[in-house]
Amino acid sequence: MSGTSKLSSGSRVAIVGGGIAGAGLAASLLFNGRARGVALDVRVYAGGTEERTAPPALLTPECRSRLAALGCRIPPEWRAHELRGVEVISQGERELLPCAAGGLWVVDGWPRGEGGLDMVRHVLSTAASAQGARFVNRHVERVERQAPAPDAPTAVRNAGPLVVRAQGSGERFHAVALAAGAGPLLGDAFFKGFRPAPSMPAVQARLQGAMTGRDLAPVARLWVAPLPSVDALFLIPGASSVYALAYGAAVTPADLCQVLMMAARDGLLEEGFEVAALETTRLPFGPGRTLVAPGQLAVGPAAFGHPLQVGLSETLASCSRAAVALLDGGLDAPSLERRYVRDGLGELMEDAAAGARSITWLRRAGKRAPAAFVAARAKHSAGGVYGGGVLGLSSPTPLGLLSAARWSGVREVVGSWLRTPMEPVPTLVPEVEPDLYYVVDDDADTREALTLLLESTGARVVSFADELALFCAVARRPPTAILLDVVLHWVDGLRLCEGLKQHPLTRDTRVLVMSGLNRPHVRQRALDAGAEAFLPKPVNPDRLLCQLTGRVPDPLAAPREILRPAVVETFGEDRFAS
């Protein structure tokens, strides 16, 4: 090492995180180093736990250009799935934001192969390996700074060598980069004072049999604030499935499932979809602070990002800036701060802050939110050197959207003070089918017993083992009543009752809630949710028929046997806490 703060030939660089940001930084470091005649030893350590849901990748023209510049061979079949546009939805209002010709590719091999992000990571890793990067299949536990030798050069003496501890081994490096997702691998322990990008809880899922829309060219959808706990829902169609992502400060898997039921009811998803994979994750929600130390920096989602940034252009741009900064001033903290953060990431971090703030204003804008996107797009604001639009589009930019969303939010709030709320009336409300009953219970014995009882009176019964089809069924074929269990596979039955009662198409449907826990607070929650009655399990047949028909049973008749399932379910609130 020379006495300057620059990396020189023979310098060793560790990259923590083997995802797109890690592989992209390795390729960019080696490419830029070779252009300057600097030979580097680059090691890429494995990242965190891989996601089973395998999100797709959205590639803009600028993103594809950056991949090609790093030596990535883009398979021609990646163009087979191209989005026609992104539809923004809020409170019944819709606006389609079209993509430019050849604008937005959806790369996705799930479920038969890798997810789109994994496919992009693979081509980046191949390009980096071809240039000399070594990928280490070990997870990093911590990064330590050791005291340098007294006779070391000034820059090295100020920085000190870095030791990467990974599963029992320790290796010395001149520089270390954290290239992780929104939940950084090392968190606050990367270096003293490290402040990664803030993040927000999210839930993602893969849906089969749920292709969005019937257009020949697919359309992605952004549904703003479908539930109080959900800031937005993304629906991105892939080759053979739909990727769903819901985010919000208090979002849960049950929230996502309920929103998916609402989306199918409103025609945003095809009926009969199945949830093939579901898991929690986190999304970046603004820019980080204190992203550099001598010889250390954070790149990718660990440094900045926001939920409306669905493309990869910004991440790849930060990789290029980080590589140049490390080569020019990697060992000196002030130089690294100036070259990487202030001069390199300035525009990207402004966009991240604006994109995160836009989420709050879009929620406040209500039905004006889709028009805010159109208004911001009409300004034809320049995309900047990073091509920086939201939703993978060239426009609107995050700053332009923030301005339009803020104005729409203010107008909506002020307008709500001056007008009387009027609920839209559906154009066509199907008539209730007499003697049609829905039984929703994940216990087969209970479903069979209730079905036999109701059919003995001449009624028709449709039973649901999976509650995800309930909203669609009630909206299109209203029953006389629904017998709804509390403990279900995906969503709490009490939340389903509330959802049915809040929509004009289903609010008049009679709902009887059943539960194995006959406690006053459960009974009261059921009635507060809009249930007509609460029936403790095992269900008394005479009481059930009396509630449904209003006919009091003959006291001289032989009593019916109480319906006892093989296994009586009990209600536990902790089951839905996760």
Side-chain angles (χ1 to χ4, degrees):
M1 289 289 293
S2 66
T4 69
S5 63
K6 297 181 179 181
L7 295 181
S8 58
S9 290
S11 295
R12 306 189 73 221
V13 180
I15 300 174
V16 182
I20 288 177
L25 178 56
S28 188
L29 262 175
L30 292 166
F31 175 82
N32 284 279
R34 182 173 290 109
R36 300 175 183 214
V38 177
L40 301 174
D41 180 4
V42 177
R43 308 288 178 94
V44 183
Y45 287 85
T49 304
E50 294 187 0
E51 296 176 317
R52 301 183 305 274
T53 307
L58 300 184
L59 302 185
T60 63
E62 196 233 0
C63 181
R64 301 193 294 268
S65 297
R66 288 187 178 276
L67 289 172
L70 292 175
C72 297
R73 298 185 60 183
I74 301 178
E77 58 267 21
W78 281 11
R79 188 171 186 172
H81 198 59
E82 187 175 319
L83 289 182
R84 181 168 65 88
V86 180
E87 186 177 41
V88 181
I89 305 163
S90 182
Q91 296 187 10
E93 299 295 326
R94 303 187 184 193
E95 292 287 354
L96 179 64
L97 309 179
C99 296
L104 198 55
W105 298 1
V106 180
V107 180
D108 191 25
W110 195 93
R112 292 182 295 276
E114 295 178 309
L117 293 182
D118 293 331
M119 296 166 69
V120 175
R121 177 189 54 79
H122 179 73
V123 298
L124 272 169
S125 301
T126 301
S129 297
Q131 297 182 55
R134 293 181 57 186
F135 286 78
V136 182
N137 191 25
R138 294 201 301 270
H139 296 279
V140 174
E141 298 157 359
R142 64 188 182 276
V143 177
E144 301 172 349
R145 186 177 299 279
Q146 292 188 345
D151 57 346
T154 302
V156 177
R157 193 163 56 246
N158 291 337
L162 296 163
V163 178
V164 174
R165 302 290 183 185
Q167 294 180 281
S169 68
E171 292 190 72
R172 292 162 62 102
F173 294 91
H174 299 97
V176 179
L178 176 62
L185 186 63
L186 298 179
D188 295 335
F190 183 42
F191 58 76
K192 185 177 181 180
F194 173 59
R195 294 285 298 277
S199 62
M200 173 171 281
V203 183
Q204 56 186 357
R206 281 288 187 158
L207 315 178
Q208 292 183 308
M211 301 308 292
T212 59
R214 296 175 174 80
D215 299 332
L216 294 178
V219 173
R221 290 187 166 96
L222 171 67
W223 190 359
V224 178
L227 285 177
S229 57
V230 178
D231 284 340
L233 168 74
F234 277 108
L235 296 173
I236 301 176
S240 58
S241 67
V242 172
Y243 173 74
L245 174 72
Y247 60 86
V251 70
T252 65
D255 291 324
L256 173 59
C257 291
Q258 184 168 346
V259 172
L260 293 176
M261 296 170 67
M262 296 162 60
R265 176 199 63 199
D266 295 346
L268 306 180
L269 292 172
E270 298 290 345
E271 296 182 47
F273 68 89
E274 296 180 359
V275 177
L278 183 146
E279 64 185 342
T280 59
T281 184
R282 297 193 72 87
L283 299 179
F285 203 76
R289 298 175 59 189
T290 320
L291 299 177
V292 299
Q296 292 176 267
L297 58 78
V299 66
F304 66 92
H306 60 87
L308 298 177
Q309 180 182 294
V310 297
L312 299 176
S313 297
E314 293 82 358
T315 293
L316 293 177
S318 71
C319 291
S320 175
R321 295 296 180 181
V324 172
L326 281 172
L327 286 165
D328 287 346
L331 304 181
D332 180 65
S335 176
L336 193 58
E337 171 76 25
R338 181 180 66 256
R339 293 177 180 272
Y340 178 54
V341 179
R342 284 186 290 175
D343 298 341
L345 288 186
E347 184 177 338
L348 290 175
M349 295 181 76
E350 285 184 3
D351 283 351
R357 290 200 301 269
S358 295
I359 304 300
T360 300
W361 285 106
L362 289 171
R363 174 181 277 280
R364 293 175 182 172
K367 64 181 180 181
R368 300 178 190 268
F373 280 87
V374 176
R377 190 180 176 98
K379 295 178 180 179
H380 300 290
S381 51
V385 294
Y386 305 107
V390 298
L391 304 179
L393 305 171
S394 58
S395 64
T397 63
L399 287 171
L401 177 61
L402 174 59
S403 176
R406 184 187 290 120
W407 174 238
S408 297
V410 170
R411 292 179 61 193
E412 180 64 20
V413 171
V414 173
S416 66
W417 299 341
L418 305 176
R419 67 173 180 263
T420 302
M422 295 184 63
E423 186 177 80
V425 178
T427 56
L428 179 62
V429 179
E431 294 184 359
V432 173
E433 294 192 32
D435 295 325
L436 173 65
Y437 295 92
Y438 291 165
V439 175
V440 188
D441 199 309
D442 59 0
D443 181 78
D445 293 329
T446 299
R447 292 197 308 273
E448 181 179 4
L450 290 171
T451 299
L452 291 175
L453 172 67
L454 295 173
E455 288 181 342
S456 69
T457 67
R460 291 164 297 150
V461 180
V462 177
S463 62
F464 295 82
D466 188 327
E467 67 272 20
L468 293 178
L470 179 63
F471 278 19
C472 276
V474 179
R476 290 160 175 72
R477 192 182 176 194
T480 300
I482 302 173
L483 303 182
L484 180 62
D485 189 24
V486 169
V487 178
L488 298 170
H489 183 61
W490 296 108
V491 187
D492 180 350
L494 300 181
R495 296 183 55 176
L496 292 189
C497 183
E498 289 177 344
L500 290 167
K501 293 299 179 179
Q502 289 170 357
H503 195 272
L505 281 175
T506 57
R507 68 156 47 118
D508 294 329
T509 304
R510 300 171 61 192
V511 180
L512 282 67
V513 168
M514 308 174 293
S515 176
L517 186 62
N518 186 15
R519 299 289 178 83
H521 74 279
V522 180
R523 180 189 301 271
Q524 188 59 49
R525 282 188 60 196
L527 299 178
D528 292 343
E532 177 182 302
F534 175 85
L535 303 175
K537 285 185 175 182
V539 176
N540 185 301
D542 289 330
R543 179 181 175 184
L544 171 60
L545 295 178
C546 177
Q547 185 70 44
L548 291 174
T549 64
R551 294 194 296 268
V552 178
D554 184 354
L556 299 179
R560 296 176 184 264
E561 182 181 356
I562 292 179
L563 301 176
R564 295 182 181 273
V567 178
V568 178
E569 296 176 283
T570 59
F571 173 76
E573 294 187 12
D574 60 328
R575 177 167 176 176
F576 304 100
S578 61

